[in-house]
Amino acid sequence: MSRYRTPALFLLLATVWGTAFVAIRAGLEYFPPVLFAALRYDVAAAFMLAYAIYVTDRPVPRTRGEWSLVVIGGVLLIAAYHALLFVGQQSVTSAMAAVVVSLSPVLTAAFARIWLPSERLAPAGLLGMGLGLVGVVVLSRPDPGNVLSADVIATGLILAAATAFALGSVLLRRSEAELPIETLEGWSMALGALVMHALSVAMPGESLAAIEWTPEAVVALAYLAVVSSAVGFLLYFDLLERVGPIEINLVSYVVPVVAAIAGWLLLAETIDPATVAGFLVIFVGFCLIKRRQLAAELPVLRAAITERL
């Protein structure tokens, strides 16, 4: 059964993260969006910091460089990404939000090639980047007579969330500081939650009094904090060590499928042709940018399949 462990974990991670978009959409009926994201990471940070204390000998950052990693992770990967995502997802379906977020690997690859001095974005990579952005336009379906429609604004916010996540990933990669990933995630979650609480206080209509504490609200919050965040990141760390960063990126293209199916089953959301088309265009863009890495992985994958058969 051990040979099925990696694909099983991959599918489990895609399910956990894909259904998170449905939990967000459901929870937004009861929570103000930024406060909802902040509460999610209050709980997730407690779980992750406890886990860091258990598995590492460095549960607390020590140097200025290590704390800079926490600031990048907390501000960009946690606070900016989730605040923008939760606000944007008030107006779009779970599937559409997941498809826009699936642009993150494309943006990450593009930022890495632009930002890191040793890398350059080749013409095919530029085409892939352009296709990714075209996919987002297909999804938002802008009306020339109303460029500030709710769908366009919401899609733009989610695109900004994906951009913040991609930029944060590249800045973390540029840093020379090192920190156990569990410690980095735990403290980033804690800092990100604090930043989102500050944003929530400054936003009109966001307060604890605005929360409807229904059973559905509690389930949505608990699912996002414990399953999607704490368990999800632990699955991610395990798979990152097993398969490497190229293959783990592919989970971003299974997540929208899970989100679409779960949204259809649980929230009666529709899956329209524009959502499917946007997803396919973004996926082609990713393949163009990662063409060399994917080509290098194919013989390895083919050999692994042959061996298992």
Side-chain angles (χ1 to χ4, degrees), residues 70-205:
V70 171
V71 170
I72 293 170
V75 172
L76 291 174
L77 300 184
I78 302 297
Y81 171 68
H82 289 91
L84 290 165
L85 173 64
F86 277 51
V87 173
Q89 206 177 330
Q90 292 178 107
S91 303
V92 301
T93 65
S94 306
M96 184 172 173
V99 170
V100 177
V101 168
S102 74
L103 186 61
S104 289
V106 177
L107 292 170
T108 300
F111 278 140
R113 292 178 183 273
I114 294 170
W115 200 282
L116 300 177
S118 60
E119 300 191 43
R120 296 289 183 270
L121 197 62
L126 288 170
L127 177 60
M129 176 71 174
L131 281 175
L133 297 176
V134 168
V136 175
V137 173
V138 171
L139 282 168
S140 62
R141 290 158 286 186
D143 179 2
N146 184 18
V147 295
L148 295 179
S149 65
D151 281 352
V152 173
I153 293 173
T155 304
L157 289 172
I158 298 172
L159 175 59
T163 302
F165 191 91
L167 179 59
S169 299
V170 172
L171 292 178
L172 286 178
R173 192 185 308 172
R174 287 188 73 203
S175 175
E176 296 180 359
E178 295 184 2
L179 193 63
I181 192 66
E182 298 85 358
T183 303
L184 173 60
E185 287 291 344
W187 285 99
S188 294
M189 288 176 177
L191 175 61
L194 285 174
V195 172
M196 287 188 288
H197 277 296
L199 289 172
S200 177
V201 169
M203 295 177 66

Side-chain angles (χ1 to χ4, degrees), residues 12-24 40-41 44 48 82 86 189 219-236:
L12 180 58
L13 178 61
T15 301
V16 165
W17 280 359
T19 50
F21 288 91
V22 179
I24 293 170
R40 169 187 180 177
Y41 278 98
M48 189 56 68
H82 289 91
F86 277 51
M189 288 176 177
V219 168
L221 178 59
Y223 186 85
L224 287 170
V226 179
V227 180
S228 298
S229 297
V231 175
F233 275 110
L234 293 178
L235 289 171
Y236 177 84

